[in-house]
Amino acid sequence: MDSFELNKILGAVLFTCMLTLALNITAGAVFAPPKPEKPGYEIAVPEQEAGGGAKEAAPEEAEKPIAVLLASADPKRGATAAKKCAACHTFGKGEPNRVGPNLYGVVGRAKASTPGFSYSDALKSKGGTWTFEDLSAFIANPKAFAPGTKMSYAGDRRGSDRADIIAFLNQNSDNPQPLPQAAEGAGAQQGKPAQ
Ligand code: HEC
């Protein structure tokens, strides 16, 4: 092998090396992984709900949204279940406030709006109307829903029970809201406010 031959071989080897290097640099530029803003691994932890009480109280509540439970609610059962509310509330039209406000037409009505009842700031500052969801949350755990509320009721943790009560409350109204049906239950949102 003369030196010319050797030069060609070495040249070819060198060329290959440089080509590989060039490829490597280009590929590095094209496929560079983005640097994370914060070094280290991000671990997604679901956020804890505010109000520890509500969380402990609701292990079995995670089950079904109230819209679903309402689809199979029974206002007659609700009337019986609502006896525990009757110590403080009246449900009929024109009946007086007691320890708590009269609840006639409460579904869809503005929160803390019964005339002549002195509500807590907690409830007054809630705003909005009583939707099925809000009623359910409030009855499940009044203190968690409206910290500082005057309603000293421990809460009704059984979703089906609350659905029955809400169906009963809904009947005691000049214009009851349509209850979610079984089929639409999962997607249904809430009672629209009465006009
Ligand atoms: C120990 C008495 C007491 C019991 C029992 C009680 N409540 Fe109340 N409730 C109150 C008081 C007091 C308020 C006013 C709360 C406030 O101003 O913070 C209230 C407010 C409410 C409101 C808001 C009304 C509005 O006009 O905004 C609803 C709805 C309600 N109660 C439903 C119920 C239901 C349903 C039950 C039974 C499961 C029940 N309450 C049991 C005393 C009671």
Side-chain angles (χ1 to χ4, degrees):
M1 191 184 338
D2 57 18
S3 73
F4 180 63
E5 195 85 348
L6 188 67
N7 268 350
K8 275 207 288 187
I9 293 170
L10 283 177
V13 171
L14 191 64
F15 178 74
T16 314
C17 286
M18 283 174 64
L19 193 70
T20 315
L21 188 66
L23 267 176
N24 192 2
I25 290 168
T26 332
V30 173
F31 300 111
K35 279 239 174 75
E37 264 162 31
K38 279 186 284 168
Y41 296 96
E42 200 177 310
I43 298 165
V45 178
E47 284 218 353
Q48 301 286 312
E49 265 177 49
K55 265 198 64 231
E56 282 145 44
E60 80 271 27
E61 236 65 280
E63 30 156 48
K64 285 182 196 155
I66 194 69
V68 174
L69 293 169
L70 275 171
S72 50
D74 177 1
K76 285 204 203 74
R77 279 198 310 255
T80 311
K83 293 229 161 76
K84 53 183 170 257
C85 323
C88 303
H89 289 287
T90 53
F91 306 102
K93 188 170 190 170
E95 287 180 1
N97 299 327
R98 289 201 187 138
V99 178
N102 170 256
L103 291 181
Y104 186 78
V106 72
V107 179
R109 122 183 143 193
K111 296 193 183 95
S113 65
T114 294
F117 187 80
S118 150
Y119 289 93
S120 66
D121 290 337
L123 209 58
K124 278 192 284 191
S125 63
K126 269 292 182 185
T129 55
W130 281 116
T131 59
F132 295 139
E133 280 78 10
D134 282 358
L135 277 172
S136 173
F138 183 55
I139 300 168
N141 194 335
K143 298 241 154 31
F145 180 82
T149 178
K150 289 203 290 185
M151 174 151 137
S152 39
Y153 174 68
D156 187 338
R157 306 293 193 257
R158 279 191 50 215
S160 55
D161 212 38
R162 294 199 306 277
D164 290 345
I165 292 175
I166 292 170
F168 165 72
L169 290 176
N170 189 42
Q171 269 198 341
N172 284 280
S173 170
D174 282 338
N175 48 353
Q177 310 284 312
L179 290 183
Q181 298 302 305
E184 65 178 73
Q189 275 310 295
Q190 60 215 11
K192 291 184 214 78
Q195 65 286 60

